[in-house]
Amino acid sequence: MLRKRKPMDAQRKATLKAAWKREGDEKAKTYREQALKMFPHVCQRCGREFSGARLRELTVHHKDGNHMNNPPDGSNWALLCLYCHDDEHGAYEHIGVDIEAQQQLTTTPSLGFQAFEGLRATLASAETPSESE
Ligand SMILES: [Zn+2]
Ligand SMILES: [Zn+2]
C-alpha cells in the first residue's frame, strides 16, 4: 500500500527534531526502551522494519496523546516511524505541549483576572456595600 506523502519542509522538520530532542529526557528514554522491548521493531502503520542505527527513527506514539500516561503494559503506546508519526497527528502531540502551555499563558490569566474581579465585586457588595472605590 503506497501513499504519496508531501516531503516535510525544512523548518517543520527542524521543529520536529527539536521537539523530539527535548523530549529525550530520562523518562522518555525509559518508556521508549520499554516499548522497544515490548513490541517488534516495526512501524505499526507502514509496517517498515527498523534495526541498528535506523531504530532511532522509530518513535513511541501515545494513543491517547498524553505523554504522562505510560502504563507498564504498553497499552497506550504504538511504535511509529518518524514519518508515520508525523502523519498520524500532524506532529501536534509533540509540539502540543508547548501549544497548550502557550494557551494557558494567554487564557488562564485573563480567566483568573475575571474570576478575581467577580469575586472582589461579590465581596465588595456583600461585606462593604456602602464602600465605593
Ligand atoms: Zn511508518
Ligand atoms: Zn504520537
Side-chain angles (χ1 to χ4, degrees), residues 64-110:
D64 70 354
N66 180 5
H67 281 204
M68 298 296 130
N69 184 14
N70 294 301
D73 66 354
S75 57
N76 193 35
W77 299 331
L79 290 178
L80 294 177
C81 73
L82 287 177
Y83 308 100
C84 292
H85 203 166
D86 178 39
D87 224 33
E88 176 71 23
H89 43 84
Y92 284 119
E93 178 187 324
H94 297 279
I95 58 173
V97 178
D98 294 337
I99 290 169
E100 272 166 33
Q102 278 168 18
Q103 279 172 347
Q104 271 169 20
L105 278 178
T106 53
T107 60
T108 306
S110 87

Side-chain angles (χ1 to χ4, degrees), residues 3-32:
R3 289 183 50 193
K4 218 173 181 184
R5 50 177 93 253
K6 283 183 279 181
M8 277 196 272
D9 66 62
Q11 200 188 345
R12 193 174 177 207
K13 211 167 179 174
T15 309
L16 274 176
K17 271 188 183 169
W20 279 320
K21 197 174 175 182
R22 195 172 59 234
E23 199 189 345
D25 58 18
E26 286 308 309
K27 203 173 176 183
K29 268 185 209 157
T30 306
Y31 73 61
R32 185 171 181 274

Side-chain angles (χ1 to χ4, degrees), residues 31-42 44 50 55 58-61 63 71-80:
Y31 73 61
R32 185 171 181 274
E33 269 158 27
Q34 283 179 314
L36 287 173
K37 272 181 208 159
M38 200 174 290
F39 302 113
H41 297 171
V42 169
Q44 291 186 13
F50 293 84
L55 194 58
L58 204 56
T59 60
V60 179
H61 167 59
K63 290 177 183 176
D73 66 354
S75 57
N76 193 35
W77 299 331
L79 290 178
L80 294 177

